[in-house]
């Protein structure tokens, strides 16, 4: 685990450099702060900043020179004690240009603001769409244009949006700050226009410099497009702070919070008890003791459906309902042995009922995933495993209380779905560096894919030797294992990030605090449920 955590820290430090030290130096020479420096200046001193998508685009776009953090830094922080979402373009990465993952990450940040009714701050510094990939970013529903639709929707929802133009703001991207409640601009370094000077020259033959075309003076004194101009990044960020210290307060969801307590197991012990061997059984109750206040969990149906642990607890004072995969082998009252990490009919049935109870009681849900999938075989099928699994998925999918997911270990197949994977709208979903996410385990998938490949070759009249079969199996396994990596998932935003297990309580606490900003207005209704 220590080695995995060291690797995590090394990767994160690399990502934080953005386009590299030379690019950072160039920004400083222009009198500009970097994206991360702007966020550090903006948020309250000694407050937490929960980064979302730090590893977005990790290992992607290498033929284009890479795009660390997808060229934008996003997360949840505090400005003048007000929780908010912050989106800051990183001009050190391809001048802040938008890659496909940049769009996906921006939309994720807006989604967090919309779901939790949090104010959002845009620190704009972008050259616009990365033209060589425009076909993957421009026209579709979840592409570049969706952010402006979200601007409009958030405005109608009463969600505060503040924008600061701190560098380039070009073409369609110009609508984002101007559709915000207030648009600020930094003099001399900030500029905003639908078309830059080169395009203007090409399109209509007019020769004009960018400052005259769309600088701070032009838009604050002539066009009225921007509201106020500032001499430096710091002055502009100070103005945002002044706005936030005067914001009114909204209603809350009313989630219960008591005085926080430390867990029964220390954070250091927590990382010691989690096994590195993926098939090794362990007691999930011990992990829960390292996450919940005082180690206290009020279990629901403790002696029934034992491969899923369900119960209520507190995390950093917040009341929470926990659904967690039990990874040790358990024995039913009938004397049957059940494998850890597998969802059986009885555990799915229990979880569905527990989820309904939490919705009735207005308690947020936390899913701790280390799941191999649902039980298979004739006995499970005859017992109605699909029906019971459907019931659990139905209750979870229709939940109106906020859901949060932490992937500790395995996250395979339909188990990922039932335990609130990304497709089921968790407010936040993070993984430990020990996580693996795929349709099935690497060993099972490699053997299945090998069988398919060998059968295909035989159809073509080709015979494969045992030696060649082993080489092929190793190639398939290596490729599949790469795709199992938590960083592979994080790079594509299947999860919001990879975290040190010792950060888990902070993530959950900040997530529930964010969710508490959004009163529940929808009635819990599961529709037709399988019985």
């Amino acid at each position: 685990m220590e080695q995995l955590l060291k690797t995590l820290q090394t990767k994160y430090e690399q990502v934080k450099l953005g386009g590299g030290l030379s690019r950072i130096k160039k920004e400083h020479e222009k009198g500009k702060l970097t994206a991360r420096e702007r966020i550090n200046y903006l948020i309250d001193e000694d407050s937490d900043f929960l980064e979302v998508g730090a590893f977005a685009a990790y290992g992607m776009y290498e033929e284009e020179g890479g795009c660390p953090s997808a060229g934008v830094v996003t997360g949840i922080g505090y400005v003048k004690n007000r929780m908010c979402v912050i989106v800051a373009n990183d001009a050190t990465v391809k001048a802040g240009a938008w890659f496909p993952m940049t769009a996906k990450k921006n939309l994720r940040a807006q989604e967090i603001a919309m779901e939790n009714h949090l104010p959002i701050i845009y620190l704009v510094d972008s050259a616009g769409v990365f033209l060589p990939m425009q076909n993957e970013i421009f026209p579709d529903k979840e592409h570049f244009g969706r952010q402006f639709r979200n601007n409009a929707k958030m405005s109608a929802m009463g969600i505060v949006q503040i924008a600061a133009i701190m560098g380039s703001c070009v073409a369609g991207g110009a609508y984002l700050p101007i559709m915000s409640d207030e648009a600020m601009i930094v003099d001399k370094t900030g500029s905003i226009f639908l078309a830059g000077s080169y395009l203007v020259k090409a399109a209509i033959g007019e020769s004009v410099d960018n400052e005259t075309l769309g600088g701070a003076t032009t838009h604050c004194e002539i066009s009225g497009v921007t509201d106020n101009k500032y001499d430096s990044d710091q002055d502009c960020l100070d103005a945002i702070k002044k706005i936030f210290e005067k914001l009114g307060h909204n209603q809350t969801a009313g989630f219960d919070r008591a005085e926080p307590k430390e867990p029964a197991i220390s954070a250091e012990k927590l990382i010691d008890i989690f096994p590195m061997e993926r098939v090794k059984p362990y007691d999930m109750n011990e992990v829960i003791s390292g996450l919940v206040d005082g180690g206290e969990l009020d279990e629901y149906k403790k002696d029934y459906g034992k491969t899923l642990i369900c119960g209520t607890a507190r995390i950093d004072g917040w009341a929470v309902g926990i659904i967690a995969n039990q990874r040790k082998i358990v024995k039913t009252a009938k004397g049957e042995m059940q494998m850890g990490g597998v969802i059986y009919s009885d555990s799915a049935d229990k979880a569905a009922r527990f989820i309904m109870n939490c919705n009735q009681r207005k308690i947020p849900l936390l899913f701790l995933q280390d799941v191999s999938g649902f039980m298979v075989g004739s006995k499970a099928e005859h017992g109605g495993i699909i029906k019971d699994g459907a019931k659990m998925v139905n209750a979870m999918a229709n939940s109106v209380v906020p859901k949060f997911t932490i992937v500790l270990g395995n996250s395979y197949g339909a188990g990922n779905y039932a335990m609130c994977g990304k497709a089921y709208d968790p407010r936040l979903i993070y993984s430990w560096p020990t996580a693996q996410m795929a349709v099935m385990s690497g060993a099972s998938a490699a053997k299945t894919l090998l069988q398919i490949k060998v059968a295909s070759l035989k159809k073509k009249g080709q015979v494969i030797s045992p030696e060649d079969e082993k080489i092929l199996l190793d190639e398939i396994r290596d490729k599949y294992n790469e795709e199992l990596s938590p960083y592979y998932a994080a790079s594509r935003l299947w999860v919001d990030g990879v975290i040190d297990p010792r950060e888990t309580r902070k993530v959950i606490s900040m997530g529930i605090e964010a969710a508490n900003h959004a009163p529940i207005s929808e009635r819990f209704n599961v529709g037709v449920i399988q019985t």
Side-chain angles (χ1 to χ4, degrees):
M1 179 66 88
E2 288 294 346
Q3 185 59 47
L4 286 178
L5 296 180
K6 187 176 180 181
T7 299
L8 169 61
Q9 187 61 32
T10 300
K11 288 180 184 290
Y12 185 49
E13 292 300 327
Q14 178 187 358
V15 157
K16 286 200 294 184
L17 289 175
L21 293 174
S22 61
R23 286 292 308 168
I24 291 172
K25 183 180 178 182
K26 287 180 181 178
E27 292 300 298
H28 289 165
E29 288 170 352
K30 296 175 187 175
K32 296 166 64 178
L33 300 175
T34 65
R36 293 182 183 278
E37 288 169 344
R38 288 166 178 165
I39 290 173
N40 288 337
Y41 185 91
L42 181 62
I43 62 174
D44 296 342
E45 191 174 352
D46 297 325
S47 68
D48 288 318
F49 179 71
L50 177 57
E51 189 164 352
V52 174
F55 292 105
Y58 186 84
M60 299 174 68
Y61 312 124
E62 290 182 350
E63 67 281 3
E64 305 293 347
C67 187
S69 278
V72 62
V73 184
T74 61
I76 302 171
Y78 301 86
V79 176
K80 292 297 179 180
N81 293 318
R82 306 300 178 93
M83 183 176 259
C84 61
V85 174
I86 302 174
V87 177
N89 297 114
D90 188 348
T92 71
V93 180
K94 297 291 190 297
W98 285 61
F99 283 69
M101 283 306 302
T102 315
K104 187 172 184 178
K105 185 171 174 179
N106 272 264
L107 293 177
R108 175 62 178 144
Q110 289 184 319
E111 179 183 44
I112 290 171
M114 293 170 81
E115 285 182 333
N116 299 295
H117 286 209
L118 290 177
I120 186 167
I121 299 169
Y122 306 104
L123 306 180
V124 185
D125 194 346
S126 171
V129 168
F130 185 66
L131 285 177
M133 304 186 79
Q134 65 85 28
N135 63 317
E136 298 179 50
I137 189 175
F138 171 66
D140 210 347
K141 180 178 178 179
E142 298 297 330
H143 282 180
F144 188 66
R146 186 76 170 181
Q147 65 175 335
F148 313 128
R149 174 264 188 196
N150 287 350
N151 281 144
K153 289 291 186 180
M154 280 192 279
S155 185
M157 291 169 67
I159 295 172
V160 172
Q161 300 177 83
I162 305 297
I165 301 158
M166 312 184 85
S168 298
C169 186
V170 185
Y175 287 107
L176 185 142
I178 307 310
M179 292 184 75
S180 299
D181 303 346
E182 192 158 341
M184 308 162 168
I185 188 167
V186 179
D187 198 15
K188 300 297 185 287
T189 54
S191 60
I192 177 169
F193 32 65
L194 292 181
S197 56
Y198 293 145
L199 183 53
V200 168
K201 178 69 174 176
I204 63 173
E206 180 185 1
S207 295
V208 60
D209 64 89
N210 282 338
E211 185 64 25
T212 303
L213 184 65
T217 299
T218 294
H219 286 310
C220 287
E221 299 180 21
I222 300 174
S223 71
V225 167
T226 52
D227 300 314
N228 285 296
K229 63 180 178 179
Y230 300 89
D231 292 333
S232 67
D233 282 9
Q234 290 88 340
D235 289 342
C236 189
L237 296 169
D238 285 337
I240 294 175
K241 293 180 185 182
K242 289 180 180 178
I243 291 173
F244 267 70
E245 70 182 1
K246 298 179 181 71
L247 290 182
H249 294 271
N250 296 326
Q251 289 182 318
T252 66
F255 302 131
D256 189 68
R257 192 178 196 186
E259 187 67 28
K261 297 178 184 176
E262 289 299 314
I265 292 176
S266 70
E268 297 303 322
K269 180 78 183 296
L270 176 64
I271 63 174
D272 287 338
I273 63 176
F274 192 84
M276 292 299 94
E277 299 86 352
R278 199 150 296 277
V279 296
K280 184 177 180 180
Y282 66 91
D283 189 350
M284 180 63 82
N285 280 297
E286 291 187 17
V287 174
I288 292 172
S289 293
L291 296 177
V292 302
D293 291 10
E296 299 170 8
L297 176 71
D298 298 320
E299 267 201 72
Y300 175 73
K301 291 183 183 285
K302 180 180 179 181
D303 299 319
Y304 177 77
K306 296 179 183 178
T307 63
L308 276 178
I309 299 168
C310 298
T312 53
R314 291 188 183 276
I315 292 181
D316 198 30
W318 292 104
V320 63
I322 296 173
I323 300 98
N325 301 108
Q326 176 58 280
R327 281 303 309 267
K328 70 178 184 179
I329 296 171
V330 299
K331 188 176 182 180
T332 70
K334 294 179 181 179
E336 298 170 352
M337 306 304 291
Q338 293 183 339
M339 292 183 287
V342 177
I343 302 175
Y344 289 77
S345 281
D346 54 356
S347 50
D349 179 70
K350 175 174 83 170
R353 174 65 181 276
F354 178 72
I355 290 167
M356 293 182 207
N357 283 352
C358 286
N359 275 271
Q360 183 84 330
R361 300 168 189 175
K362 202 152 53 171
I363 300 175
L365 290 165
L366 170 63
F367 293 83
L368 299 176
Q369 286 196 14
D370 193 351
V371 58
S372 304
F374 283 86
M375 190 57 192
V376 297
S378 59
K379 185 175 181 180
E381 297 293 358
H382 295 172
I385 185 66
I386 298 174
K387 171 169 60 70
D388 292 315
K391 183 173 14 179
M392 179 180 174
V393 171
N394 189 326
M396 180 272 301
N398 281 304
S399 288
V400 295
V401 294
K403 298 170 291 195
F404 303 89
T405 303
I406 305 292
V407 185
L408 284 63
N410 301 333
S411 180
Y412 297 149
N416 168 280
Y417 298 162
M419 293 294 291
C420 196
K422 184 65 183 290
Y424 293 86
D425 301 318
R427 295 290 177 94
L428 293 173
I429 175 170
Y430 282 84
S431 72
W432 287 7
T434 46
Q436 288 190 348
M437 187 180 298
V439 170
M440 62 182 77
S441 70
S444 299
K447 290 174 184 175
T448 304
L449 291 167
L450 177 65
Q451 290 172 15
I452 294 169
K453 183 72 174 176
V454 170
S456 176
L457 290 171
K458 283 182 179 178
K459 282 183 181 180
K460 296 175 183 177
Q462 299 179 31
V463 179
I464 184 168
S465 69
E467 292 77 16
D468 288 340
E469 192 171 305
K470 184 182 183 306
I471 292 170
L472 189 56
L473 177 63
D474 290 341
E475 289 176 358
I476 292 171
R477 185 187 290 117
D478 290 345
K479 180 179 182 300
Y480 198 87
N481 283 339
E482 179 187 344
E483 295 174 3
L484 283 171
S485 163
Y487 299 102
Y488 189 92
S491 71
R492 288 149 182 83
L493 284 178
W494 300 345
V495 295
D496 291 318
V498 183
I499 59 167
D500 185 320
R502 293 168 290 197
E503 296 289 298
T504 307
R505 277 172 56 88
K506 183 188 87 170
V507 169
I508 297 164
S509 177
M510 288 186 69
I512 298 176
E513 182 184 350
N516 201 40
H517 286 74
I520 297 173
S521 57
E522 188 180 355
R523 180 175 169 269
F524 178 56
N525 181 3
V526 294
V528 177
I529 196 163
Q530 296 298 319
T531 57

Coordinates of all heavy atoms in Angstrom, one line a residue, residues 114-154:
M114 N -24.9 22.0 -10.3 CA -26.4 22.0 -10.5 C -27.0 21.0 -9.5 O -28.1 21.3 -8.9 CB -26.7 21.6 -11.9 CG -26.2 22.6 -13.0 SD -26.3 22.0 -14.7 CE -28.1 22.2 -15.0
E115 N -26.4 19.8 -9.3 CA -27.0 18.9 -8.4 C -27.0 19.3 -7.0 O -28.0 19.0 -6.2 CB -26.2 17.5 -8.5 CG -26.4 16.7 -9.7 CD -25.7 15.4 -9.7 OE1 -24.6 15.3 -9.0 OE2 -26.1 14.5 -10.3
N116 N -26.0 20.1 -6.6 CA -25.9 20.5 -5.2 C -26.2 22.0 -5.0 O -26.1 22.5 -3.8 CB -24.4 20.3 -4.7 CG -24.0 18.8 -4.8 OD1 -24.6 18.0 -4.1 ND2 -23.1 18.5 -5.7
H117 N -26.7 22.7 -6.0 CA -27.1 24.1 -5.9 C -25.9 24.9 -5.3 O -26.1 25.8 -4.5 CB -28.3 24.3 -5.1 CG -29.6 23.8 -5.8 ND1 -30.8 24.4 -5.5 CD2 -29.8 22.9 -6.7 CE1 -31.7 23.8 -6.3 NE2 -31.1 22.9 -7.0
L118 N -24.7 24.7 -5.8 CA -23.5 25.4 -5.4 C -23.2 26.5 -6.3 O -23.3 26.3 -7.5 CB -22.3 24.5 -5.3 CG -22.3 23.4 -4.2 CD1 -21.1 22.5 -4.3 CD2 -22.4 24.0 -2.8
P119 N -22.8 27.7 -5.8 CA -22.3 28.7 -6.7 C -21.1 28.2 -7.5 O -20.4 27.3 -7.0 CB -21.9 29.9 -5.7 CG -22.5 29.6 -4.5 CD -22.7 28.1 -4.4
I120 N -20.8 28.8 -8.7 CA -19.7 28.3 -9.5 C -18.9 29.5 -10.0 O -19.5 30.5 -10.3 CB -20.2 27.4 -10.6 CG1 -19.0 26.8 -11.4 CG2 -21.1 28.1 -11.6 CD1 -19.4 25.7 -12.4
I121 N -17.6 29.4 -9.9 CA -16.7 30.4 -10.3 C -15.9 29.9 -11.5 O -15.3 28.8 -11.5 CB -15.7 30.8 -9.2 CG1 -16.5 31.4 -8.0 CG2 -14.7 31.8 -9.7 CD1 -15.6 31.5 -6.8
Y122 N -15.9 30.6 -12.6 CA -15.1 30.3 -13.8 C -13.9 31.2 -13.9 O -14.1 32.5 -14.0 CB -15.9 30.4 -15.1 CG -17.2 29.7 -15.1 CD1 -18.4 30.3 -14.9 CD2 -17.3 28.3 -15.3 CE1 -19.7 29.7 -15.0 CE2 -18.5 27.6 -15.4 CZ -19.7 28.3 -15.2 OH -20.9 27.7 -15.2
L123 N -12.7 30.7 -13.9 CA -11.5 31.5 -14.1 C -11.0 31.2 -15.5 O -10.4 30.1 -15.8 CB -10.4 31.1 -13.1 CG -10.9 31.3 -11.6 CD1 -9.8 30.9 -10.7 CD2 -11.4 32.7 -11.3
V124 N -11.4 32.0 -16.5 CA -11.3 31.7 -17.9 C -9.9 32.1 -18.5 O -9.5 33.3 -18.3 CB -12.4 32.4 -18.7 CG1 -12.4 32.0 -20.2 CG2 -13.8 32.1 -18.1
D125 N -9.3 31.2 -19.2 CA -8.0 31.5 -19.8 C -7.7 30.4 -20.8 O -7.0 29.4 -20.6 CB -6.9 31.5 -18.7 CG -5.6 32.1 -19.3 OD1 -5.4 32.3 -20.5 OD2 -4.7 32.4 -18.4
S126 N -8.4 30.5 -22.0 CA -8.4 29.4 -22.9 C -8.4 29.9 -24.4 O -9.1 30.9 -24.7 CB -9.7 28.5 -22.7 OG -9.8 27.6 -23.8
A127 N -7.6 29.2 -25.2 CA -7.5 29.6 -26.6 C -8.7 29.0 -27.4 O -8.7 29.1 -28.6 CB -6.2 29.0 -27.2
G128 N -9.6 28.3 -26.8 CA -10.8 27.7 -27.5 C -10.6 26.3 -27.9 O -9.7 25.6 -27.4
V129 N -11.4 25.8 -28.7 CA -11.4 24.4 -29.2 C -10.1 24.0 -29.8 O -9.5 24.8 -30.6 CB -12.6 24.1 -30.1 CG1 -12.4 22.8 -30.8 CG2 -13.9 24.2 -29.4
F130 N -9.6 22.8 -29.5 CA -8.4 22.3 -30.1 C -8.8 21.8 -31.5 O -9.4 20.7 -31.6 CB -7.8 21.1 -29.3 CG -6.5 20.6 -29.8 CD1 -5.4 21.3 -29.8 CD2 -6.4 19.3 -30.3 CE1 -4.2 20.8 -30.2 CE2 -5.2 18.8 -30.7 CZ -4.1 19.5 -30.7
L131 N -8.5 22.6 -32.5 CA -9.1 22.4 -33.8 C -8.8 21.0 -34.5 O -9.7 20.5 -35.1 CB -8.6 23.5 -34.8 CG -9.3 24.9 -34.6 CD1 -8.7 25.9 -35.5 CD2 -10.8 24.8 -34.8
P132 N -7.6 20.4 -34.3 CA -7.4 19.1 -34.9 C -8.4 18.1 -34.4 O -8.6 17.0 -35.1 CB -6.0 18.7 -34.5 CG -5.3 20.1 -34.3 CD -6.4 20.9 -33.7
M133 N -9.1 18.3 -33.3 CA -10.0 17.3 -32.8 C -11.4 17.9 -32.7 O -12.3 17.4 -31.9 CB -9.6 16.8 -31.4 CG -8.2 16.3 -31.4 SD -7.7 15.5 -29.8 CE -8.6 14.0 -29.9
Q134 N -11.7 18.9 -33.5 CA -13.0 19.6 -33.4 C -14.2 18.7 -33.6 O -15.3 18.9 -33.0 CB -13.1 20.8 -34.4 CG -13.0 20.4 -35.8 CD -14.4 20.1 -36.4 OE1 -15.4 20.6 -36.0 NE2 -14.4 19.3 -37.5
N135 N -14.0 17.7 -34.4 CA -15.2 16.7 -34.7 C -15.5 15.9 -33.5 O -16.6 15.4 -33.4 CB -14.8 15.8 -35.8 CG -13.6 14.9 -35.5 OD1 -12.7 15.3 -35.0 ND2 -13.8 13.6 -35.9
E136 N -14.6 15.8 -32.5 CA -14.9 15.1 -31.2 C -15.3 16.0 -30.1 O -15.6 15.5 -29.0 CB -13.7 14.3 -30.8 CG -13.2 13.3 -31.8 CD -12.0 12.5 -31.3 OE1 -12.0 12.1 -30.2 OE2 -11.0 12.5 -32.1
I137 N -15.5 17.3 -30.3 CA -15.7 18.2 -29.2 C -16.9 19.2 -29.6 O -17.5 19.8 -28.7 CB -14.5 19.0 -28.9 CG1 -14.6 19.8 -27.6 CG2 -14.0 19.9 -30.0 CD1 -13.4 20.4 -27.1
F138 N -17.2 19.4 -30.8 CA -18.1 20.5 -31.2 C -19.6 20.2 -31.2 O -20.3 20.9 -30.6 CB -17.6 21.1 -32.6 CG -18.6 22.1 -33.1 CD1 -18.8 23.3 -32.5 CD2 -19.3 21.8 -34.3 CE1 -19.7 24.2 -33.0 CE2 -20.2 22.7 -34.8 CZ -20.4 23.9 -34.2
P139 N -20.1 19.2 -32.0 CA -21.5 19.2 -32.3 C -22.4 18.4 -31.4 O -23.6 18.6 -31.4 CB -21.5 18.6 -33.7 CG -20.4 17.7 -33.7 CD -19.4 18.2 -32.8
D140 N -21.9 17.4 -30.6 CA -22.8 16.4 -30.0 C -23.4 17.0 -28.7 O -23.0 18.0 -28.2 CB -22.1 15.1 -29.7 CG -23.0 13.9 -29.8 OD1 -24.3 14.1 -29.7 OD2 -22.5 12.8 -29.8
K141 N -24.4 16.3 -28.1 CA -25.1 16.7 -27.0 C -24.2 17.0 -25.8 O -24.4 18.0 -25.1 CB -26.2 15.7 -26.6 CG -27.0 16.0 -25.4 CD -28.1 15.0 -25.1 CE -28.8 15.4 -23.8 NZ -29.9 14.4 -23.5
E142 N -23.2 16.1 -25.5 CA -22.4 16.3 -24.4 C -21.0 16.9 -24.8 O -20.0 16.7 -24.1 CB -22.1 14.9 -23.7 CG -23.4 14.3 -23.1 CD -24.1 15.1 -22.0 OE1 -23.3 15.8 -21.3 OE2 -25.3 15.1 -21.9
H143 N -21.0 17.7 -25.8 CA -19.8 18.4 -26.3 C -19.7 19.8 -25.8 O -20.5 20.2 -24.9 CB -19.7 18.3 -27.8 CG -19.2 16.9 -28.3 ND1 -19.1 16.6 -29.6 CD2 -18.9 15.8 -27.7 CE1 -18.7 15.4 -29.8 NE2 -18.6 14.9 -28.6
F144 N -18.9 20.6 -26.4 CA -18.5 21.9 -26.0 C -19.8 22.8 -25.8 O -19.8 23.5 -24.8 CB -17.7 22.5 -27.1 CG -17.1 23.9 -26.8 CD1 -16.1 24.0 -25.8 CD2 -17.4 25.0 -27.5 CE1 -15.5 25.2 -25.6 CE2 -16.8 26.2 -27.3 CZ -15.9 26.3 -26.3
G145 N -20.8 22.8 -26.7 CA -21.9 23.6 -26.6 C -22.8 23.4 -25.3 O -23.6 24.3 -24.9
R146 N -22.7 22.2 -24.8 CA -23.6 21.9 -23.6 C -23.3 22.8 -22.4 O -24.2 23.1 -21.6 CB -23.3 20.4 -23.2 CG -24.3 19.9 -22.2 CD -25.7 19.6 -22.7 NE -26.5 18.9 -21.7 CZ -27.7 18.6 -22.0 NH1 -28.3 18.8 -23.1 NH2 -28.5 17.9 -21.1
Q147 N -22.1 23.3 -22.3 CA -21.8 24.1 -21.1 C -22.6 25.4 -21.2 O -23.0 26.0 -20.1 CB -20.3 24.4 -21.1 CG -19.8 25.3 -22.2 CD -18.3 25.6 -22.1 OE1 -17.8 25.7 -21.0 NE2 -17.6 25.9 -23.2
F148 N -22.8 26.0 -22.4 CA -23.6 27.2 -22.4 C -25.1 27.0 -22.1 O -25.8 27.8 -21.5 CB -23.4 27.9 -23.8 CG -22.0 27.9 -24.3 CD1 -21.6 27.4 -25.5 CD2 -21.0 28.4 -23.5 CE1 -20.3 27.4 -25.9 CE2 -19.7 28.4 -23.8 CZ -19.3 27.9 -25.1
R149 N -25.6 25.8 -22.5 CA -26.9 25.4 -22.2 C -27.0 25.3 -20.6 O -28.0 25.8 -20.0 CB -27.2 24.1 -22.8 CG -28.6 23.4 -22.4 CD -28.3 22.4 -21.3 NE -29.5 21.7 -21.0 CZ -29.7 21.0 -19.9 NH1 -28.7 20.9 -19.0 NH2 -30.8 20.3 -19.6
N150 N -25.9 24.7 -20.0 CA -25.9 24.7 -18.6 C -25.8 26.0 -17.9 O -26.4 26.2 -16.9 CB -24.7 23.8 -18.1 CG -25.0 22.3 -18.4 OD1 -26.0 21.9 -18.8 ND2 -23.9 21.5 -18.2
N151 N -25.1 27.0 -18.5 CA -25.1 28.3 -18.0 C -26.5 28.9 -17.9 O -26.9 29.4 -16.9 CB -24.3 29.3 -19.0 CG -22.8 29.2 -18.9 OD1 -22.1 29.3 -19.9 ND2 -22.3 29.0 -17.7
A152 N -27.3 28.7 -18.9 CA -28.6 29.2 -19.0 C -29.5 28.5 -17.9 O -30.3 29.1 -17.2 CB -29.2 29.1 -20.4
K153 N -29.4 27.2 -17.9 CA -30.2 26.4 -16.9 C -29.9 26.8 -15.5 O -30.8 26.9 -14.6 CB -30.0 24.9 -17.2 CG -30.6 24.4 -18.5 CD -32.1 24.4 -18.4 CE -32.8 23.8 -19.6 NZ -34.3 23.8 -19.5
M154 N -28.6 26.9 -15.2 CA -28.2 27.2 -13.8 C -28.7 28.6 -13.4 O -29.1 28.9 -12.3 CB -26.6 27.2 -13.7 CG -26.1 25.8 -13.5 SD -24.4 25.7 -12.9 CE -23.6 25.9 -14.5

